[in-house]
Amino acid sequence: MANKTVIKGVKDHVGESVVIGCWVNNKRSSGKIQFLQLRDGTGYIQGVVVKSEVEEEVWDAAKSLTQESSLYVTGVIREEPRSQSGYEMTVTGIEVLHLTENYPITPKEHGVDFLMDHRHLWLRSSKQRAILVIRAEIIRAIQEYFDINDFTLVDPPILTPTSAEGTTNLFHTKYFDEDAYLTQSGQLYMEAAAMALGRVYSFGPTFRAEKSKTRRHLIEFWMIEPEMAFTEHEESLRVQEEFITHVVQSVLKNCRTELEAIGRDISKLENIKAPFPRITYDDAIKFLNDHGFDIPWGEDFGAPHETAIAEEYDKPVFITNYPAGIKAFYMKPDPNRPEVVLCADMIAPEGYGEIIGGSQRIDDPALLEERFKEHELSLDTYKWYMDLRTYGSVPHSGFGLGLERTVAWICGLDHVRETIPFPRMLYRLYP
Ligand code: 4AD
Ligand code: MG
């Protein structure tokens, strides 16, 4: 019996006979030879079936195979410098598991709606596979960064009684007789965790009933939310740039093949190293006004504004100190200029938009209470959050990284729908 292996592992089996469970990605034939393009999720290999060298039933089985048929293939691994992977298999045996008929996704072009309706099958394509591998590496590198830097992973709840990021896009549900919302952000709970554990981070799904249909918005997306006790805004910015550097450099190191498979311009990523440039909101407004945008001080940026600013840099850029009026209730005012807050959005290069939102949090109980009133938030539901200021309040900061926007940027994708296996969007809940 030949040894069972996976395509990624064939380099350790040169000259040996192995068996691999796989699917047919594509097939070519030249009369006496059939070339099977095989995939198993770990990689791709060409299986060569030579009529004069195999039993008739093996030849016939190879002939019967169609795109996405499943099989166990047996054969001898050879080095093949002309192939992309560097290896090829001389096929000696085929056990057909399932013959596929009329696979809907063919090598021809398909429209986006068709592909989204077949997302469960589209995932098998080489580009979608590569994106998911890169997404997994990004997650691994994120966790590695925080684990190395003494952050403890803490899981905030998904069902919540309150809003963390404004009340307009809350996802409502019933919680028996009470009203509840799917979490928009774990931040408020992470602040409680930081007061217990010092440095913490969460990684989980968040939900926003965004009525806007854009290339950057999902209804369900994954966020990484670090929170740090005894940490001022400036220190938080340094953590953010180091963290993003670590993630991008890890993907470059561990996902070369996948980045190449999707045609990413790698030189644009090699450059992503801390420190990152910074610009204040005031200067950003000035810059925009000088470049033909008619946006007054006090208004929030839209995608075109962010893109115009990002185009000035070849690294992510921090936009800092936004007006308090357009930011969340919990952000700490700048002590020298209370109309702006100690916050920053990190805007990715190449027009990928905001990937991080973060700030120093209000630690003064009286000021926080005032903010609750201004924002018409009920003190009853947030009493526990007030307690964090009542009992041993400390300066603390944190931020949230949107995973899908980060994947879109690192992979160079125009739309976040390809960054998550099953995207939840304004008009899409299927499959
Ligand atoms: O800027 P946001 O709203 O910040 C917060 O939620 C803070 N509570 C985070 C914190 O300080 N702990 O969201 C953070 C990031 C954004 O920068 C963006 O990358 C992503 O989450 N994001 C979305 N990604 C996809 N679809 C959406 N609808 C998103 N909304 C936000
Ligand atoms: Mg934001």
Side-chain angles (χ1 to χ4, degrees), residues 55-113:
E55 287 172 35
E56 201 174 329
E57 61 193 50
V58 176
W59 178 257
D60 289 343
K63 261 176 100 171
S64 75
L65 291 170
T66 50
Q67 187 195 352
E68 287 308 312
S69 287
S70 51
L71 65 149
Y72 284 119
V73 66
T74 307
V76 178
I77 303 299
R78 284 182 288 105
E79 284 191 69
E80 175 49 75
R82 283 172 302 176
S83 102
Q84 214 177 12
S85 68
Y87 303 93
E88 227 174 49
M89 175 191 258
T90 304
V91 176
T92 56
I94 289 174
E95 180 190 340
V96 176
L97 296 173
H98 186 247
L99 282 179
T100 287
E101 280 174 51
N102 304 322
Y103 187 68
I105 304 179
T106 57
K108 70 164 194 174
E109 286 276 315
H110 295 283
V112 168
D113 273 341

Side-chain angles (χ1 to χ4, degrees), residues 157-294:
I158 307 274
L159 288 164
T160 61
T162 49
S163 125
E165 291 298 321
T167 46
T168 50
N169 58 19
L170 279 172
F171 219 114
H172 177 256
T173 181
K174 288 306 279 185
Y175 191 81
F176 304 103
D177 293 334
E178 286 178 68
D179 285 310
Y181 309 96
L182 299 182
T183 182
Q184 291 170 307
S185 155
Q187 180 195 318
L188 308 189
Y189 297 97
M190 297 310 289
E191 289 182 55
M195 301 307 140
L197 294 142
R199 290 180 132 197
V200 293
Y201 74 103
S202 64
F203 174 51
T206 44
F207 306 85
R208 295 193 191 176
E210 311 263 13
K211 287 284 160 52
S212 49
K213 199 177 169 212
T214 79
R215 300 183 295 137
R216 303 280 163 254
H217 287 89
L218 291 164
I219 304 299
E220 178 181 300
F221 63 99
W222 288 65
M223 225 198 313
I224 292 80
E225 294 189 89
E227 194 68 33
M228 300 163 280
F230 307 102
T231 302
E232 313 262 345
H233 180 53
E234 173 59 33
E235 188 180 343
S236 174
L237 295 187
R238 287 204 301 274
V239 171
Q240 292 173 45
E241 60 195 10
E242 256 185 39
F243 161 55
I244 294 300
T245 302
H246 178 78
V247 171
V248 172
Q249 296 304 321
S250 297
V251 173
L252 279 171
K253 184 162 150 238
N254 299 323
C255 293
R256 279 276 156 168
T257 326
E258 285 76 18
L259 288 170
E260 279 161 15
I262 60 180
R264 182 64 166 117
D265 180 352
I266 285 169
S267 67
K268 292 236 160 63
L269 297 175
E270 280 168 340
N271 200 26
I272 308 301
K273 291 197 177 137
F276 295 167
R278 297 169 192 196
I279 174 175
T280 61
Y281 172 89
D282 291 358
D283 287 342
I285 287 284
K286 214 182 291 152
F287 168 85
L288 289 169
N289 290 340
D290 289 348
H291 288 77
F293 290 93
D294 183 22

Side-chain angles (χ1 to χ4, degrees), residues 165 208 327 345 354 356-358 405:
E165 291 298 321
R208 295 193 191 176
K327 286 293 182 187
D345 285 353
E354 179 197 324
I356 289 183
R405 292 198 192 165

